[in-house]
PDB file of all heavy atoms in Angstrom:
ATOM      1  N   TYR A 258     135.089 -86.691 132.784  1.00  0.00           N
ATOM      2  CA  TYR A 258     133.732 -87.237 132.867  1.00  0.00           C
ATOM      3  C   TYR A 258     132.739 -86.312 132.168  1.00  0.00           C
ATOM      4  O   TYR A 258     131.907 -86.764 131.389  1.00  0.00           O
ATOM      5  CB  TYR A 258     133.346 -87.424 134.344  1.00  0.00           C
ATOM      6  CG  TYR A 258     131.914 -87.844 134.529  1.00  0.00           C
ATOM      7  CD1 TYR A 258     131.520 -89.144 134.319  1.00  0.00           C
ATOM      8  CD2 TYR A 258     130.948 -86.898 134.891  1.00  0.00           C
ATOM      9  CE1 TYR A 258     130.188 -89.526 134.475  1.00  0.00           C
ATOM     10  CE2 TYR A 258     129.619 -87.258 135.047  1.00  0.00           C
ATOM     11  CZ  TYR A 258     129.242 -88.571 134.834  1.00  0.00           C
ATOM     12  OH  TYR A 258     127.936 -88.942 134.977  1.00  0.00           O
ATOM     13  N   LEU A 259     132.838 -85.018 132.462  1.00  0.00           N
ATOM     14  CA  LEU A 259     131.929 -84.072 131.818  1.00  0.00           C
ATOM     15  C   LEU A 259     132.134 -84.021 130.312  1.00  0.00           C
ATOM     16  O   LEU A 259     131.195 -83.915 129.545  1.00  0.00           O
ATOM     17  CB  LEU A 259     132.123 -82.681 132.427  1.00  0.00           C
ATOM     18  CG  LEU A 259     131.680 -82.532 133.882  1.00  0.00           C
ATOM     19  CD1 LEU A 259     132.063 -81.150 134.405  1.00  0.00           C
ATOM     20  CD2 LEU A 259     130.202 -82.789 134.022  1.00  0.00           C
ATOM     21  N   ARG A 260     133.371 -84.106 129.892  1.00  0.00           N
ATOM     22  CA  ARG A 260     133.683 -84.043 128.461  1.00  0.00           C
ATOM     23  C   ARG A 260     133.166 -85.278 127.721  1.00  0.00           C
ATOM     24  O   ARG A 260     132.594 -85.186 126.644  1.00  0.00           O
ATOM     25  CB  ARG A 260     135.193 -83.899 128.259  1.00  0.00           C
ATOM     26  CG  ARG A 260     135.680 -84.050 126.848  1.00  0.00           C
ATOM     27  CD  ARG A 260     135.155 -82.949 125.963  1.00  0.00           C
ATOM     28  NE  ARG A 260     135.643 -83.077 124.619  1.00  0.00           N
ATOM     29  CZ  ARG A 260     134.972 -83.635 123.625  1.00  0.00           C
ATOM     30  NH1 ARG A 260     133.795 -84.136 123.836  1.00  0.00           N
ATOM     31  NH2 ARG A 260     135.496 -83.705 122.433  1.00  0.00           N
ATOM     32  N   LEU A 261     133.352 -86.428 128.299  1.00  0.00           N
ATOM     33  CA  LEU A 261     132.970 -87.672 127.616  1.00  0.00           C
ATOM     34  C   LEU A 261     131.470 -87.939 127.683  1.00  0.00           C
ATOM     35  O   LEU A 261     130.923 -88.623 126.832  1.00  0.00           O
ATOM     36  CB  LEU A 261     133.738 -88.843 128.210  1.00  0.00           C
ATOM     37  CG  LEU A 261     135.254 -88.810 127.953  1.00  0.00           C
ATOM     38  CD1 LEU A 261     135.922 -89.963 128.707  1.00  0.00           C
ATOM     39  CD2 LEU A 261     135.572 -88.881 126.482  1.00  0.00           C
ATOM     40  N   ASN A 262     130.780 -87.399 128.687  1.00  0.00           N
ATOM     41  CA  ASN A 262     129.345 -87.667 128.836  1.00  0.00           C
ATOM     42  C   ASN A 262     128.468 -86.544 128.307  1.00  0.00           C
ATOM     43  O   ASN A 262     127.259 -86.630 128.441  1.00  0.00           O
ATOM     44  CB  ASN A 262     129.017 -87.958 130.302  1.00  0.00           C
ATOM     45  CG  ASN A 262     129.575 -89.289 130.723  1.00  0.00           C
ATOM     46  OD1 ASN A 262     129.705 -90.193 129.934  1.00  0.00           O
ATOM     47  ND2 ASN A 262     129.929 -89.392 131.993  1.00  0.00           N
ATOM     48  N   SER A 263     129.030 -85.530 127.773  1.00  0.00           N
ATOM     49  CA  SER A 263     128.203 -84.472 127.197  1.00  0.00           C
ATOM     50  C   SER A 263     128.154 -84.658 125.682  1.00  0.00           C
ATOM     51  O   SER A 263     129.165 -84.905 125.033  1.00  0.00           O
ATOM     52  CB  SER A 263     128.786 -83.097 127.543  1.00  0.00           C
ATOM     53  OG  SER A 263     130.047 -82.949 126.945  1.00  0.00           O
ATOM     54  N   LEU A 264     126.962 -84.558 125.144  1.00  0.00           N
ATOM     55  CA  LEU A 264     126.768 -84.731 123.709  1.00  0.00           C
ATOM     56  C   LEU A 264     126.707 -83.355 123.044  1.00  0.00           C
ATOM     57  O   LEU A 264     126.126 -82.426 123.585  1.00  0.00           O
ATOM     58  CB  LEU A 264     125.472 -85.491 123.444  1.00  0.00           C
ATOM     59  CG  LEU A 264     125.420 -86.917 123.995  1.00  0.00           C
ATOM     60  CD1 LEU A 264     124.035 -87.480 123.798  1.00  0.00           C
ATOM     61  CD2 LEU A 264     126.460 -87.778 123.325  1.00  0.00           C
ATOM     62  N   PRO A 265     127.284 -83.245 121.875  1.00  0.00           N
ATOM     63  CA  PRO A 265     127.192 -81.965 121.178  1.00  0.00           C
ATOM     64  C   PRO A 265     125.764 -81.720 120.708  1.00  0.00           C
ATOM     65  O   PRO A 265     125.037 -82.654 120.314  1.00  0.00           O
ATOM     66  CB  PRO A 265     128.152 -82.118 119.995  1.00  0.00           C
ATOM     67  CG  PRO A 265     128.342 -83.586 119.832  1.00  0.00           C
ATOM     68  CD  PRO A 265     128.103 -84.206 121.163  1.00  0.00           C
ATOM     69  N   LYS A 266     125.353 -80.465 120.769  1.00  0.00           N
ATOM     70  CA  LYS A 266     124.004 -80.108 120.325  1.00  0.00           C
ATOM     71  C   LYS A 266     123.994 -79.930 118.815  1.00  0.00           C
ATOM     72  O   LYS A 266     124.864 -79.269 118.272  1.00  0.00           O
ATOM     73  CB  LYS A 266     123.561 -78.816 121.003  1.00  0.00           C
ATOM     74  CG  LYS A 266     123.405 -78.930 122.472  1.00  0.00           C
ATOM     75  CD  LYS A 266     122.950 -77.607 123.069  1.00  0.00           C
ATOM     76  CE  LYS A 266     122.829 -77.700 124.579  1.00  0.00           C
ATOM     77  NZ  LYS A 266     122.450 -76.403 125.161  1.00  0.00           N
ATOM     78  N   LYS A 267     123.008 -80.515 118.174  1.00  0.00           N
ATOM     79  CA  LYS A 267     122.890 -80.351 116.746  1.00  0.00           C
ATOM     80  C   LYS A 267     121.942 -79.193 116.475  1.00  0.00           C
ATOM     81  O   LYS A 267     120.757 -79.237 116.812  1.00  0.00           O
ATOM     82  CB  LYS A 267     122.356 -81.631 116.090  1.00  0.00           C
ATOM     83  CG  LYS A 267     123.325 -82.778 116.193  1.00  0.00           C
ATOM     84  CD  LYS A 267     122.837 -83.994 115.483  1.00  0.00           C
ATOM     85  CE  LYS A 267     123.881 -85.106 115.587  1.00  0.00           C
ATOM     86  NZ  LYS A 267     123.453 -86.298 114.883  1.00  0.00           N
ATOM     87  N   ILE A 268     122.492 -78.151 115.895  1.00  0.00           N
ATOM     88  CA  ILE A 268     121.710 -76.957 115.604  1.00  0.00           C
ATOM     89  C   ILE A 268     121.451 -76.930 114.111  1.00  0.00           C
ATOM     90  O   ILE A 268     122.396 -77.025 113.321  1.00  0.00           O
ATOM     91  CB  ILE A 268     122.453 -75.695 116.059  1.00  0.00           C
ATOM     92  CG1 ILE A 268     122.710 -75.770 117.566  1.00  0.00           C
ATOM     93  CG2 ILE A 268     121.678 -74.437 115.694  1.00  0.00           C
ATOM     94  CD1 ILE A 268     123.569 -74.659 118.096  1.00  0.00           C
ATOM     95  N   PRO A 269     120.195 -76.821 113.696  1.00  0.00           N
ATOM     96  CA  PRO A 269     119.910 -76.821 112.254  1.00  0.00           C
ATOM     97  C   PRO A 269     120.419 -75.530 111.625  1.00  0.00           C
ATOM     98  O   PRO A 269     120.603 -74.515 112.301  1.00  0.00           O
ATOM     99  CB  PRO A 269     118.375 -76.900 112.213  1.00  0.00           C
ATOM    100  CG  PRO A 269     117.929 -76.339 113.509  1.00  0.00           C
ATOM    101  CD  PRO A 269     118.973 -76.700 114.509  1.00  0.00           C
ATOM    102  N   PRO A 270     120.640 -75.551 110.325  1.00  0.00           N
ATOM    103  CA  PRO A 270     121.105 -74.354 109.650  1.00  0.00           C
ATOM    104  C   PRO A 270     120.029 -73.269 109.690  1.00  0.00           C
ATOM    105  O   PRO A 270     118.826 -73.559 109.729  1.00  0.00           O
ATOM    106  CB  PRO A 270     121.359 -74.808 108.212  1.00  0.00           C
ATOM    107  CG  PRO A 270     120.632 -76.082 108.055  1.00  0.00           C
ATOM    108  CD  PRO A 270     120.511 -76.693 109.419  1.00  0.00           C
ATOM    109  N   VAL A 271     120.480 -72.035 109.683  1.00  0.00           N
ATOM    110  CA  VAL A 271     119.562 -70.907 109.776  1.00  0.00           C
ATOM    111  C   VAL A 271     119.448 -70.271 108.402  1.00  0.00           C
ATOM    112  O   VAL A 271     120.459 -69.971 107.756  1.00  0.00           O
ATOM    113  CB  VAL A 271     120.084 -69.859 110.800  1.00  0.00           C
ATOM    114  CG1 VAL A 271     119.162 -68.674 110.850  1.00  0.00           C
ATOM    115  CG2 VAL A 271     120.215 -70.515 112.165  1.00  0.00           C
ATOM    116  N   ASN A 272     118.235 -70.070 107.963  1.00  0.00           N
ATOM    117  CA  ASN A 272     117.990 -69.389 106.688  1.00  0.00           C
ATOM    118  C   ASN A 272     117.422 -68.006 107.003  1.00  0.00           C
ATOM    119  O   ASN A 272     116.336 -67.895 107.560  1.00  0.00           O
ATOM    120  CB  ASN A 272     116.997 -70.177 105.823  1.00  0.00           C
ATOM    121  CG  ASN A 272     117.594 -71.496 105.379  1.00  0.00           C
ATOM    122  OD1 ASN A 272     118.770 -71.572 105.081  1.00  0.00           O
ATOM    123  ND2 ASN A 272     116.768 -72.528 105.357  1.00  0.00           N
ATOM    124  N   TYR A 273     118.160 -66.998 106.651  1.00  0.00           N
ATOM    125  CA  TYR A 273     117.714 -65.630 106.902  1.00  0.00           C
ATOM    126  C   TYR A 273     116.867 -65.147 105.744  1.00  0.00           C
ATOM    127  O   TYR A 273     117.073 -65.533 104.586  1.00  0.00           O
ATOM    128  CB  TYR A 273     118.933 -64.711 107.094  1.00  0.00           C
ATOM    129  CG  TYR A 273     119.711 -65.043 108.334  1.00  0.00           C
ATOM    130  CD1 TYR A 273     120.896 -65.761 108.257  1.00  0.00           C
ATOM    131  CD2 TYR A 273     119.265 -64.630 109.573  1.00  0.00           C
ATOM    132  CE1 TYR A 273     121.607 -66.071 109.390  1.00  0.00           C
ATOM    133  CE2 TYR A 273     119.970 -64.940 110.720  1.00  0.00           C
ATOM    134  CZ  TYR A 273     121.151 -65.648 110.614  1.00  0.00           C
ATOM    135  OH  TYR A 273     121.849 -65.956 111.752  1.00  0.00           O
ATOM    136  N   LEU A 274     115.934 -64.284 106.040  1.00  0.00           N
ATOM    137  CA  LEU A 274     115.087 -63.724 105.013  1.00  0.00           C
ATOM    138  C   LEU A 274     115.889 -62.781 104.132  1.00  0.00           C
ATOM    139  O   LEU A 274     116.785 -62.086 104.592  1.00  0.00           O
ATOM    140  CB  LEU A 274     113.908 -62.982 105.651  1.00  0.00           C
ATOM    141  CG  LEU A 274     112.975 -63.854 106.510  1.00  0.00           C
ATOM    142  CD1 LEU A 274     111.951 -62.966 107.182  1.00  0.00           C
ATOM    143  CD2 LEU A 274     112.299 -64.890 105.641  1.00  0.00           C
ATOM    144  N   ALA A 275     115.506 -62.730 102.856  1.00  0.00           N
ATOM    145  CA  ALA A 275     116.176 -61.833 101.937  1.00  0.00           C
ATOM    146  C   ALA A 275     115.796 -60.386 102.242  1.00  0.00           C
ATOM    147  O   ALA A 275     114.647 -60.094 102.609  1.00  0.00           O
ATOM    148  CB  ALA A 275     115.795 -62.158 100.498  1.00  0.00           C
ATOM    149  N   ILE A 276     116.754 -59.496 102.117  1.00  0.00           N
ATOM    150  CA  ILE A 276     116.523 -58.081 102.376  1.00  0.00           C
ATOM    151  C   ILE A 276     116.724 -57.327 101.072  1.00  0.00           C
ATOM    152  O   ILE A 276     117.715 -57.541 100.370  1.00  0.00           O
ATOM    153  CB  ILE A 276     117.504 -57.559 103.444  1.00  0.00           C
ATOM    154  CG1 ILE A 276     117.279 -58.293 104.759  1.00  0.00           C
ATOM    155  CG2 ILE A 276     117.346 -56.065 103.645  1.00  0.00           C
ATOM    156  CD1 ILE A 276     118.268 -57.947 105.835  1.00  0.00           C
ATOM    157  N   ASN A 277     115.794 -56.466 100.773  1.00  0.00           N
ATOM    158  CA  ASN A 277     115.914 -55.652  99.578  1.00  0.00           C
ATOM    159  C   ASN A 277     116.970 -54.576  99.819  1.00  0.00           C
ATOM    160  O   ASN A 277     116.806 -53.696 100.655  1.00  0.00           O
ATOM    161  CB  ASN A 277     114.559 -55.001  99.247  1.00  0.00           C
ATOM    162  CG  ASN A 277     114.589 -54.311  97.923  1.00  0.00           C
ATOM    163  OD1 ASN A 277     115.615 -54.217  97.254  1.00  0.00           O
ATOM    164  ND2 ASN A 277     113.420 -53.797  97.514  1.00  0.00           N
ATOM    165  N   VAL A 278     118.060 -54.630  99.071  1.00  0.00           N
ATOM    166  CA  VAL A 278     119.169 -53.718  99.283  1.00  0.00           C
ATOM    167  C   VAL A 278     118.849 -52.322  98.764  1.00  0.00           C
ATOM    168  O   VAL A 278     119.447 -51.340  99.179  1.00  0.00           O
ATOM    169  CB  VAL A 278     120.452 -54.266  98.602  1.00  0.00           C
ATOM    170  CG1 VAL A 278     121.635 -53.398  98.881  1.00  0.00           C
ATOM    171  CG2 VAL A 278     120.714 -55.675  99.074  1.00  0.00           C
ATOM    172  N   SER A 279     117.915 -52.221  97.871  1.00  0.00           N
ATOM    173  CA  SER A 279     117.577 -50.896  97.345  1.00  0.00           C
ATOM    174  C   SER A 279     116.851 -50.040  98.377  1.00  0.00           C
ATOM    175  O   SER A 279     116.685 -48.840  98.197  1.00  0.00           O
ATOM    176  CB  SER A 279     116.741 -51.021  96.074  1.00  0.00           C
ATOM    177  OG  SER A 279     115.515 -51.646  96.396  1.00  0.00           O
ATOM    178  N   LEU A 280     116.417 -50.649  99.461  1.00  0.00           N
ATOM    179  CA  LEU A 280     115.719 -49.906 100.505  1.00  0.00           C
ATOM    180  C   LEU A 280     116.623 -49.592 101.691  1.00  0.00           C
ATOM    181  O   LEU A 280     116.237 -49.709 102.843  1.00  0.00           O
ATOM    182  CB  LEU A 280     114.500 -50.709 100.992  1.00  0.00           C
ATOM    183  CG  LEU A 280     113.463 -51.043  99.931  1.00  0.00           C
ATOM    184  CD1 LEU A 280     112.385 -51.926 100.509  1.00  0.00           C
ATOM    185  CD2 LEU A 280     112.871 -49.771  99.356  1.00  0.00           C
ATOM    186  N   LEU A 281     117.842 -49.202 101.402  1.00  0.00           N
ATOM    187  CA  LEU A 281     118.784 -48.874 102.463  1.00  0.00           C
ATOM    188  C   LEU A 281     118.400 -47.565 103.123  1.00  0.00           C
ATOM    189  O   LEU A 281     117.751 -46.713 102.514  1.00  0.00           O
ATOM    190  CB  LEU A 281     120.205 -48.740 101.893  1.00  0.00           C
ATOM    191  CG  LEU A 281     120.856 -50.044 101.456  1.00  0.00           C
ATOM    192  CD1 LEU A 281     122.191 -49.744 100.801  1.00  0.00           C
ATOM    193  CD2 LEU A 281     121.057 -50.966 102.631  1.00  0.00           C
ATOM    194  N   PRO A 282     118.797 -47.357 104.380  1.00  0.00           N
ATOM    195  CA  PRO A 282     118.504 -46.092 105.039  1.00  0.00           C
ATOM    196  C   PRO A 282     119.213 -44.925 104.342  1.00  0.00           C
ATOM    197  O   PRO A 282     120.211 -45.111 103.627  1.00  0.00           O
ATOM    198  CB  PRO A 282     119.073 -46.281 106.450  1.00  0.00           C
ATOM    199  CG  PRO A 282     119.253 -47.724 106.623  1.00  0.00           C
ATOM    200  CD  PRO A 282     119.404 -48.317 105.264  1.00  0.00           C
ATOM    201  N   ASP A 283     118.696 -43.736 104.556  1.00  0.00           N
ATOM    202  CA  ASP A 283     119.229 -42.554 103.870  1.00  0.00           C
ATOM    203  C   ASP A 283     120.683 -42.259 104.219  1.00  0.00           C
ATOM    204  O   ASP A 283     121.420 -41.736 103.397  1.00  0.00           O
ATOM    205  CB  ASP A 283     118.357 -41.325 104.196  1.00  0.00           C
ATOM    206  CG  ASP A 283     116.990 -41.442 103.567  1.00  0.00           C
ATOM    207  OD1 ASP A 283     116.864 -42.173 102.552  1.00  0.00           O
ATOM    208  OD2 ASP A 283     116.056 -40.803 104.100  1.00  0.00           O
ATOM    209  N   PHE A 284     121.117 -42.583 105.427  1.00  0.00           N
ATOM    210  CA  PHE A 284     122.490 -42.235 105.801  1.00  0.00           C
ATOM    211  C   PHE A 284     123.544 -43.086 105.077  1.00  0.00           C
ATOM    212  O   PHE A 284     124.714 -42.784 105.109  1.00  0.00           O
ATOM    213  CB  PHE A 284     122.701 -42.332 107.309  1.00  0.00           C
ATOM    214  CG  PHE A 284     122.535 -43.718 107.885  1.00  0.00           C
ATOM    215  CD1 PHE A 284     123.577 -44.617 107.901  1.00  0.00           C
ATOM    216  CD2 PHE A 284     121.316 -44.099 108.420  1.00  0.00           C
ATOM    217  CE1 PHE A 284     123.430 -45.879 108.419  1.00  0.00           C
ATOM    218  CE2 PHE A 284     121.152 -45.369 108.952  1.00  0.00           C
ATOM    219  CZ  PHE A 284     122.209 -46.259 108.948  1.00  0.00           C
ATOM    220  N   LEU A 285     123.119 -44.161 104.410  1.00  0.00           N
ATOM    221  CA  LEU A 285     124.068 -44.964 103.642  1.00  0.00           C
ATOM    222  C   LEU A 285     124.245 -44.459 102.205  1.00  0.00           C
ATOM    223  O   LEU A 285     125.114 -44.926 101.497  1.00  0.00           O
ATOM    224  CB  LEU A 285     123.629 -46.423 103.611  1.00  0.00           C
ATOM    225  CG  LEU A 285     123.734 -47.165 104.948  1.00  0.00           C
ATOM    226  CD1 LEU A 285     123.223 -48.582 104.812  1.00  0.00           C
ATOM    227  CD2 LEU A 285     125.159 -47.166 105.454  1.00  0.00           C
ATOM    228  N   TYR A 286     123.417 -43.530 101.784  1.00  0.00           N
ATOM    229  CA  TYR A 286     123.554 -42.980 100.439  1.00  0.00           C
ATOM    230  C   TYR A 286     124.472 -41.755 100.472  1.00  0.00           C
ATOM    231  O   TYR A 286     124.429 -40.970 101.432  1.00  0.00           O
ATOM    232  CB  TYR A 286     122.185 -42.539  99.880  1.00  0.00           C
ATOM    233  CG  TYR A 286     121.308 -43.681  99.473  1.00  0.00           C
ATOM    234  CD1 TYR A 286     120.225 -44.054 100.258  1.00  0.00           C
ATOM    235  CD2 TYR A 286     121.552 -44.388  98.306  1.00  0.00           C
ATOM    236  CE1 TYR A 286     119.409 -45.105  99.881  1.00  0.00           C
ATOM    237  CE2 TYR A 286     120.750 -45.453  97.939  1.00  0.00           C
ATOM    238  CZ  TYR A 286     119.678 -45.797  98.727  1.00  0.00           C
ATOM    239  OH  TYR A 286     118.886 -46.836  98.353  1.00  0.00           O
ATOM    240  N   PHE A 287     125.276 -41.629  99.486  1.00  0.00           N
ATOM    241  CA  PHE A 287     126.081 -40.417  99.340  1.00  0.00           C
ATOM    242  C   PHE A 287     125.223 -39.367  98.622  1.00  0.00           C
ATOM    243  O   PHE A 287     124.478 -39.708  97.724  1.00  0.00           O
ATOM    244  CB  PHE A 287     127.353 -40.698  98.553  1.00  0.00           C
ATOM    245  CG  PHE A 287     128.284 -41.634  99.244  1.00  0.00           C
ATOM    246  CD1 PHE A 287     128.402 -42.954  98.834  1.00  0.00           C
ATOM    247  CD2 PHE A 287     129.012 -41.210 100.340  1.00  0.00           C
ATOM    248  CE1 PHE A 287     129.251 -43.814  99.492  1.00  0.00           C
ATOM    249  CE2 PHE A 287     129.856 -42.070 100.990  1.00  0.00           C
ATOM    250  CZ  PHE A 287     129.981 -43.383 100.576  1.00  0.00           C
ATOM    251  N   PRO A 288     125.344 -38.105  99.017  1.00  0.00           N
ATOM    252  CA  PRO A 288     124.453 -37.111  98.420  1.00  0.00           C
ATOM    253  C   PRO A 288     124.669 -36.917  96.922  1.00  0.00           C
ATOM    254  O   PRO A 288     123.745 -36.558  96.210  1.00  0.00           O
ATOM    255  CB  PRO A 288     124.781 -35.835  99.187  1.00  0.00           C
ATOM    256  CG  PRO A 288     125.991 -36.100  99.969  1.00  0.00           C
ATOM    257  CD  PRO A 288     126.193 -37.562 100.036  1.00  0.00           C
ATOM    258  N   THR A 289     125.868 -37.208  96.420  1.00  0.00           N
ATOM    259  CA  THR A 289     126.137 -36.959  95.005  1.00  0.00           C
ATOM    260  C   THR A 289     125.899 -38.201  94.155  1.00  0.00           C
ATOM    261  O   THR A 289     125.840 -38.098  92.944  1.00  0.00           O
ATOM    262  CB  THR A 289     127.576 -36.488  94.811  1.00  0.00           C
ATOM    263  OG1 THR A 289     128.460 -37.485  95.329  1.00  0.00           O
ATOM    264  CG2 THR A 289     127.817 -35.165  95.534  1.00  0.00           C
ATOM    265  N   HIS A 290     125.804 -39.377  94.736  1.00  0.00           N
ATOM    266  CA  HIS A 290     125.684 -40.614  93.953  1.00  0.00           C
ATOM    267  C   HIS A 290     124.346 -41.271  94.258  1.00  0.00           C
ATOM    268  O   HIS A 290     123.975 -41.473  95.411  1.00  0.00           O
ATOM    269  CB  HIS A 290     126.805 -41.595  94.280  1.00  0.00           C
ATOM    270  CG  HIS A 290     128.158 -41.044  94.006  1.00  0.00           C
ATOM    271  ND1 HIS A 290     128.625 -40.828  92.737  1.00  0.00           N
ATOM    272  CD2 HIS A 290     129.156 -40.647  94.831  1.00  0.00           C
ATOM    273  CE1 HIS A 290     129.846 -40.345  92.789  1.00  0.00           C
ATOM    274  NE2 HIS A 290     130.189 -40.214  94.055  1.00  0.00           N
ATOM    275  N   ALA A 291     123.623 -41.639  93.262  1.00  0.00           N
ATOM    276  CA  ALA A 291     122.358 -42.342  93.432  1.00  0.00           C
ATOM    277  C   ALA A 291     122.528 -43.840  93.251  1.00  0.00           C
ATOM    278  O   ALA A 291     121.652 -44.610  93.577  1.00  0.00           O
ATOM    279  CB  ALA A 291     121.325 -41.822  92.447  1.00  0.00           C
ATOM    280  N   ARG A 292     123.694 -44.253  92.697  1.00  0.00           N
ATOM    281  CA  ARG A 292     123.941 -45.665  92.453  1.00  0.00           C
ATOM    282  C   ARG A 292     125.041 -46.161  93.372  1.00  0.00           C
ATOM    283  O   ARG A 292     125.867 -45.403  93.861  1.00  0.00           O
ATOM    284  CB  ARG A 292     124.360 -45.872  90.986  1.00  0.00           C
ATOM    285  CG  ARG A 292     123.300 -45.382  90.002  1.00  0.00           C
ATOM    286  CD  ARG A 292     123.787 -45.493  88.593  1.00  0.00           C
ATOM    287  NE  ARG A 292     123.873 -46.917  88.251  1.00  0.00           N
ATOM    288  CZ  ARG A 292     124.481 -47.373  87.167  1.00  0.00           C
ATOM    289  NH1 ARG A 292     125.038 -46.525  86.333  1.00  0.00           N
ATOM    290  NH2 ARG A 292     124.518 -48.646  86.903  1.00  0.00           N
ATOM    291  N   TYR A 293     125.087 -47.484  93.587  1.00  0.00           N
ATOM    292  CA  TYR A 293     126.136 -48.078  94.397  1.00  0.00           C
ATOM    293  C   TYR A 293     127.421 -48.122  93.601  1.00  0.00           C
ATOM    294  O   TYR A 293     127.419 -48.230  92.379  1.00  0.00           O
ATOM    295  CB  TYR A 293     125.759 -49.513  94.796  1.00  0.00           C
ATOM    296  CG  TYR A 293     124.523 -49.591  95.627  1.00  0.00           C
ATOM    297  CD1 TYR A 293     123.365 -50.148  95.104  1.00  0.00           C
ATOM    298  CD2 TYR A 293     124.509 -49.118  96.918  1.00  0.00           C
ATOM    299  CE1 TYR A 293     122.213 -50.239  95.858  1.00  0.00           C
ATOM    300  CE2 TYR A 293     123.357 -49.188  97.663  1.00  0.00           C
ATOM    301  CZ  TYR A 293     122.226 -49.739  97.149  1.00  0.00           C
ATOM    302  OH  TYR A 293     121.091 -49.826  97.882  1.00  0.00           O
TER     303      TYR A 293
END
């Protein structure tokens, strides 16, 4: 009864904001390399 009478929820797609990758935190940079 619960399975047949429950309707699936329609969730709209989520669009995440773009993140500038060049602004990574300092701990993600290697001390000898400035480029990825």
Side-chain angles (χ1 to χ4, degrees):
Y258 174 79
L259 292 174
R260 170 65 179 98
L261 294 174
N262 290 331
S263 64
L264 298 174
K266 295 180 182 178
K267 294 184 179 181
I268 300 173
V271 178
N272 294 322
Y273 294 101
L274 298 175
I276 298 174
N277 188 355
V278 184
S279 63
L280 301 175
L281 289 175
D283 291 336
F284 64 85
L285 290 177
Y286 287 105
F287 295 105
T289 59
H290 300 290
R292 301 176 69 192
Y293 299 111

